[in-house]
Amino acid sequence: MTFLNPMQGVVEVFMQALFYGLYLSTFVNCLRWLLLENEGWKFRPYKQMTWPFITITFLIFAITTADIVVSLRLACARLLVGEEMIASYLSFICITIEGFIMMIIDAVLVYRCWIVYNKSWRVVFVPLLFWTCTTACTLTWTICNVIGVKLVDNPKATAIGVVVFYGFNFLTNVYASSAIVYRIWTTAMTNNPRSRIYEICRTITGTGIMYSVTSLVTLVAAFLINDYFPEGILTAINFHTACIAYNLVIIRVGQIRAGSDTFSVVECNHSDYVAARGVDSLSK
């Protein structure tokens, strides 16, 4: 934000760069499980490629990389005299990028929930509603700044926007992750408690908690602390945590899938079989 002083801006971009490095390590590993066969370094056949998730993964990487580049330029603009307008414009770009990335990641989470529940719209109605509110918040922020209503330079407006955005973001993540975990856990416990599906359940729980906690802390900071500096640091952490969590799910599911044919050993009725097969969509 333009209302950070230059040194605070440097600290913020340092934290972004640190977590971007962590994200890069998971991105490379994620590509391994998306593009290569379970064993060795041979590319998967074209028809076995999960192109939607490959596209989303590269899209997140490209936009996240653009965000860190813009953030570095923003830090420089804060240090230079006479570049206040540039800093304001770059702040707007950073916030917009981060908002749209989290929209994409939350949309993928809702999609996974929909697949695991055999494409039941009744189950995903609530998280889809939360996601719609998050999307509306992001679009409102973007449109207002584009048409000249400079919310990016208003600390109070920024705080309200962050509270609304992260509030619905937190609710989307908690609801969808809990629903996925419940479905997978009941399937595993009913049919085969030692199934590797249980390991996937633990993975979803872990990444969901990681993402939810950072969102909640950011939300609390925006609501209670009348200072953007800690909020800006937490926002940078939460943004990259969301990207890391997205990659970790694909990595872990790929590792479990390579360990054994999870779904062929699960004997269950039709509805539970659908849930078990739906788990594989977490990396597809």
Side-chain angles (χ1 to χ4, degrees), residues 98-100 102-103 106 133-135 137-138 160-170 238:
E98 293 168 7
F100 275 97
M102 296 185 71
M103 279 171 47
D106 285 350
C133 293
T134 303
T135 302
C137 180
T138 302
I160 294 174
V162 169
V163 168
V164 174
F165 178 86
Y166 280 105
F168 284 111
N169 167 257
F170 173 75
N238 183 67

Side-chain angles (χ1 to χ4, degrees), residues 62-87:
I63 300 178
T64 304
T65 302
D67 179 70
I68 194 67
V69 172
V70 174
S71 296
L72 288 170
R73 179 63 182 89
L74 174 59
C76 294
R78 290 192 179 112
L79 293 171
L80 300 175
V81 178
E83 293 202 355
E84 290 78 10
M85 290 297 296
I86 295 176

Side-chain angles (χ1 to χ4, degrees), residues 41-201:
W41 297 96
K42 183 179 178 181
F43 281 98
R44 291 186 179 191
Y46 180 85
K47 292 184 178 180
Q48 293 183 15
M49 292 284 190
T50 53
W51 291 110
F53 272 72
I54 292 172
T55 302
I56 292 172
T57 301
F58 274 107
L59 178 63
I60 292 174
F61 166 73
I63 300 178
T64 304
T65 302
D67 179 70
I68 194 67
V69 172
V70 174
S71 296
L72 288 170
R73 179 63 182 89
L74 174 59
C76 294
R78 290 192 179 112
L79 293 171
L80 300 175
V81 178
E83 293 202 355
E84 290 78 10
M85 290 297 296
I86 295 176
S88 177
Y89 179 69
L90 293 175
S91 293
F92 161 64
I93 293 176
C94 286
I95 294 174
T96 302
I97 287 175
E98 293 168 7
F100 275 97
I101 282 290
M102 296 185 71
M103 279 171 47
I104 293 172
I105 292 174
D106 285 350
V108 172
L109 182 61
V110 174
Y111 167 78
R112 286 167 171 166
C113 184
W114 182 62
I115 292 295
V116 167
Y117 279 89
N118 194 22
K119 300 182 179 180
S120 171
W121 290 105
R122 178 179 59 84
V123 173
V124 300
F125 174 77
V126 173
L128 189 60
L129 179 63
F130 292 152
W131 178 82
T132 302
C133 293
T134 303
T135 302
C137 180
T138 302
L139 292 177
T140 300
W141 172 274
T142 303
I143 293 172
C144 285
N145 282 279
V146 168
I147 65 177
V149 181
K150 296 297 183 179
L151 299 180
V152 71
D153 293 328
N154 188 323
K156 185 176 181 180
T158 299
I160 294 174
V162 169
V163 168
V164 174
F165 178 86
Y166 280 105
F168 284 111
N169 167 257
F170 173 75
L171 292 173
T172 302
N173 187 38
V174 170
Y175 189 104
S177 296
S178 299
I180 293 172
V181 168
Y182 175 77
R183 179 67 160 170
I184 298 173
W185 182 79
T186 53
T187 299
M189 293 299 100
T190 300
N191 301 285
N192 186 358
R194 296 183 179 181
S195 169
R196 289 183 180 268
I197 297 178
Y198 181 70
E199 296 182 31
I200 297 177
C201 181

Side-chain angles (χ1 to χ4, degrees), residues 183-261:
R183 179 67 160 170
I184 298 173
W185 182 79
T186 53
T187 299
M189 293 299 100
T190 300
N191 301 285
N192 186 358
R194 296 183 179 181
S195 169
R196 289 183 180 268
I197 297 178
Y198 181 70
E199 296 182 31
I200 297 177
C201 181
R202 293 173 57 188
T203 299
I204 300 298
T205 302
T207 55
I209 290 175
M210 180 176 68
Y211 185 16
S212 298
V213 167
T214 55
S215 293
L216 181 60
V217 172
T218 305
L219 173 63
V220 172
F223 187 75
L224 298 179
I225 302 176
N226 189 25
D227 182 359
Y228 183 75
F229 179 55
E231 180 188 327
I233 296 295
L234 291 170
T235 299
I237 293 173
N238 183 67
F239 165 64
H240 287 96
T241 299
C243 300
I244 291 170
Y246 169 86
N247 289 340
L248 287 178
V249 172
I250 295 177
I251 292 168
R252 187 57 185 146
V253 172
Q255 291 172 339
I256 293 171
R257 185 178 60 237
S260 69
D261 187 356

